[in-house]
Amino acid sequence: MKCAIYYCKSWFRAKKRPTEIWTEEQARAAHAAKKFYTVVVGSPQSPSCFLEVNDKFIGVGFLDEQLRESLYYAFKEVEPRRLFLSMATYREFDGDSDIVETGTTYIFDRDGTVKTTRQCLNPHSVEATEAAADVDGNYESWPEFGEYEDLIKVERSR
């Protein structure tokens, strides 16, 4: 199923809105030149997620119903036109507020090492672990312009 997509200069996290809506032609030119641009999935007023596309990096922010970034994926180009999900951050919020209660960050290495850091903010505590995992589902191809479906999947396992 193809989602509605819009292009812009960036996603303004604090104000929960896109900045400078772009035409498809502007975004296509940025994509071809591997310059920074943002894709908003859904509608500009209430998107489900956004993608930050740059030279050798694509970040995907998944938004909850209050447009808070509850999940973030960082893909880096590890070989020409081949991406690897190197980091994921999951946040839980205090009720309907924008205050982050807990955040868990996963750092993935291509050898299967996964470093996890869980941070509680009130009271403050940090817990770090390291484990091994199958990271085959962390690879994706660099997307063709307008073809972002493989990157906006929350579930990454194949």
Side-chain angles (χ1 to χ4, degrees):
M1 180 178 135
K2 195 104 167 146
C3 300
I5 55 176
Y6 299 85
Y7 303 101
C8 60
K9 181 178 180 181
S10 63
W11 177 257
F12 196 149
R13 287 169 170 85
K15 292 189 178 183
K16 303 178 181 182
R17 64 177 179 82
T19 64
E20 194 180 308
I21 298 293
W22 283 10
T23 64
E24 182 176 321
E25 292 74 28
Q26 287 174 292
R28 187 180 295 277
H31 187 89
K34 291 195 128 187
K35 300 286 186 194
F36 187 86
Y37 73 100
T38 300
V39 179
V40 176
V41 179
S43 77
Q45 296 77 28
S46 60
S48 59
C49 64
F50 62 90
L51 296 91
E52 299 169 316
V53 184
N54 208 351
D55 180 26
K56 297 189 179 297
F57 172 85
I58 297 178
V60 184
F62 295 91
L63 303 170
D64 66 12
E65 59 281 346
Q66 285 144 335
L67 302 181
R68 301 174 299 190
E69 188 178 52
S70 58
L71 179 62
Y72 185 78
Y73 288 157
F75 292 89
K76 65 180 179 182
E77 190 174 48
V78 292
E79 298 166 15
R81 304 203 48 81
R82 187 162 162 87
L83 295 167
F84 180 74
L85 175 64
S86 59
M87 185 188 77
T89 300
Y90 175 73
R91 294 176 191 88
E92 294 178 7
F93 297 90
D94 182 8
D96 288 341
S97 78
D98 290 348
I99 298 169
V100 177
E101 266 189 351
T102 61
T104 306
T105 299
Y106 304 88
I107 304 293
F108 302 99
D109 287 328
R110 294 174 73 188
D111 68 4
T113 302
V114 180
K115 296 176 183 165
T116 305
T117 304
R118 179 175 170 80
Q119 187 172 23
C120 295
L121 301 177
N122 193 12
H124 188 264
S125 66
V126 177
E127 176 186 323
T129 60
E130 187 172 314
D134 179 359
V135 294
D136 286 347
N138 289 36
Y139 289 94
E140 291 295 344
S141 295
W142 187 271
E144 295 298 323
F145 179 77
E147 301 295 323
Y148 310 104
E149 290 83 9
D150 290 341
L151 296 172
I152 61 173
K153 297 182 297 193
V154 172
E155 295 297 324
R156 301 301 316 164
S157 58
R158 297 206 186 264

